[in-house]
Amino acid sequence: MTDKTSNQMWGGRFAAGPDAIMEAINASIGFDKRMAAQDIAGSRAHAAMLAATGVISDNDAEAIREGLLTVLSEIDSGTFQFSTALEDIHMNVEARLKEVIGEPAGRLHTGRSRNDQVATDFKLWVRDQFDAAEAGLIALINALLSQAEAGAAWVMPGFTHLQTAQPVTWGHHMMAYVEMFGRDLSRVRDARARMNEAPLGAAALAGTSFPIDRHMTAEALGFDRPAANSLDAVSDRDFALEFLSTASICAVHLSRFAEELVIWSSAQFRFVTLSDRFSTGSSIMPQKKNPDAAELIRAKVGRIYGANTALMMVMKGLPLAYSKDMQEDKEQVFDAADNWMLALAAMEGMVKDMTANRESLAAAAGSGFSTATDLADWLVRVLGLPFRDAHHITGSLVAMAESKDCDLPDLTLADMQSVHGDITDDVFGVLGVDNSVNSRMSYGGTAPKQVRAQVERWKATLS
Ligand code: ARG
């Protein structure tokens, strides 16, 4: 067993230091150093409050403030020596503060615990990430709106079961993703508003006997209010779970769009051309231009949802209040946040740069009997047939076109009349894809006019 001196921060009752393996499993400094700025901001707010409430002297508070700024600059400049023996960012910062300012450093931890400290630091960190996600989502939505505006009237096939269904517009398809990412945006905002309560001052679990002012520290750190129950405040990780579940749903959306881009950029589809900036080549096949960014975005949901599952399982069954299990929260959230932001930025870049191939889209829009529903609707509207009969007649005409290896508009009037005698020349008007999309004027429908109205609505919403 290692025979080190006991921990300088909590080792009063210990005769010996921890085993090397104990130190390895216990330490979080390897990852929680990412919360250094939040830790120091929290300590500054706490020290200022302790002075304002007369718990510590103004001189000590000033020394602590100056010392924390020195520590922060050491961390920012990379000269700070992180120590595994000091476990985590909280004790690393405090121990260094002691070296820098001496005795007053020991007064900083009055009326708080690492339990409320870590909850506060982590909330501040996650809150910044919610803000980053909000910005990333807005940027992506704006990129989609530009695509939608440019291509509000460009026709393309709409699919169900990935089989040609009815013609839609490029703008309409882009706007479908605007709706999805718009819901992600509203989830981000909801969760951020809900999480914005300060744990600081909950202390270890029960609150403190010192006359602290939790409203003051909450306000100084940009929280809306202090968390109302000290047991809950130190044991709550809902904000991290909501972050991960919001990220997971968004990652699912990103993966769906990424999948479409992979399909659309293939030689078989040619619906879009991705820019060189967001494609890669093959080291063996010179002709290849691969949609790697889209594939990687498609894959990110794996690790992001994995993090969500992992933290759900960490939290499951934990009794009140703090348990060390909860130290396992950070790496999951850090990794998910990094990859979520990266995926959002990559998707925004791809969408901004990509070119819709209007000719390929239009050619595909007209194939696959995509206006069969328009034909059936015409039989209902003009000839007054029940929809079920119209459906059947149209089906026969599709079969006829298939056997002649042509599309519906290529059938002659005589062909049409051989199936139903009352069909007139007028029917050919609805078989064109432009007519088809223009006719779908119902609210939320694919008509260019409707698409433009939705683009305007979103622009107004975001501005
Ligand atoms: N590193 C710890 C964590 O991330 C900080 C809190 C430790 N609290 C304690 N009572 N040991 O959860």
Side-chain angles (χ1 to χ4, degrees), residues 28 32 88 90 114-115 118 322 324 326-327 330:
S28 54
D32 68 15
D88 56 27
H90 324 295
R114 272 190 296 156
N115 297 349
V118 70
Y322 176 85
K324 195 66 172 252
M326 287 156 65
Q327 181 167 285
K330 285 168 224 58

Side-chain angles (χ1 to χ4, degrees), residues 6-154:
S6 64
N7 187 292
Q8 63 174 45
M9 307 301 285
W10 47 249
R13 77 185 300 267
F14 288 79
D19 188 88
I21 291 174
M22 178 61 211
E23 193 170 290
I25 195 172
N26 200 36
S28 54
I29 188 61
F31 47 88
D32 68 15
K33 59 176 146 203
R34 285 188 72 167
M35 306 193 307
Q38 289 77 12
D39 190 69
I40 288 171
S43 288
R44 285 182 57 188
H46 186 67
M49 179 277 291
L50 291 178
T53 52
V55 176
I56 65 173
S57 71
D58 287 343
N59 281 348
D60 283 347
E62 182 52 25
I64 289 170
R65 195 187 79 88
E66 293 286 320
L68 286 170
L69 289 174
T70 303
V71 175
L72 182 61
S73 72
E74 289 175 359
I75 292 172
D76 285 345
S77 64
T79 59
F80 190 96
Q81 294 290 318
F82 292 102
S83 151
T84 308
L86 287 166
E87 282 185 40
D88 56 27
I89 187 61
H90 324 295
M91 297 207 296
N92 268 264
V93 168
E94 196 188 316
R96 178 66 189 140
L97 182 68
K98 179 114 194 274
E99 288 172 3
V100 175
I101 67 167
E103 193 259 357
R107 300 185 187 281
L108 171 60
H109 213 52
T110 315
R112 78 170 184 191
S113 145
R114 272 190 296 156
N115 297 349
D116 57 336
Q117 194 178 354
V118 70
T120 303
D121 295 2
F122 196 30
K123 269 198 165 180
L124 291 172
W125 197 92
V126 170
R127 197 175 68 185
D128 282 350
Q129 295 300 307
F130 270 126
D131 292 342
E134 178 180 41
L137 280 163
I138 290 173
L140 173 55
I141 289 172
N142 278 321
L144 287 162
L145 288 174
S146 297
Q147 286 283 353
E149 193 163 34
W154 302 346

Side-chain angles (χ1 to χ4, degrees), residues 1-4 16-22:
M1 296 299 100
T2 40
D3 192 19
K4 297 173 18 177
D19 188 88
I21 291 174
M22 178 61 211

Side-chain angles (χ1 to χ4, degrees), residues 421-432:
D422 295 345
I423 296 177
T424 66
D425 226 12
D426 182 52
V427 75
F428 289 99
V430 301
L431 297 181

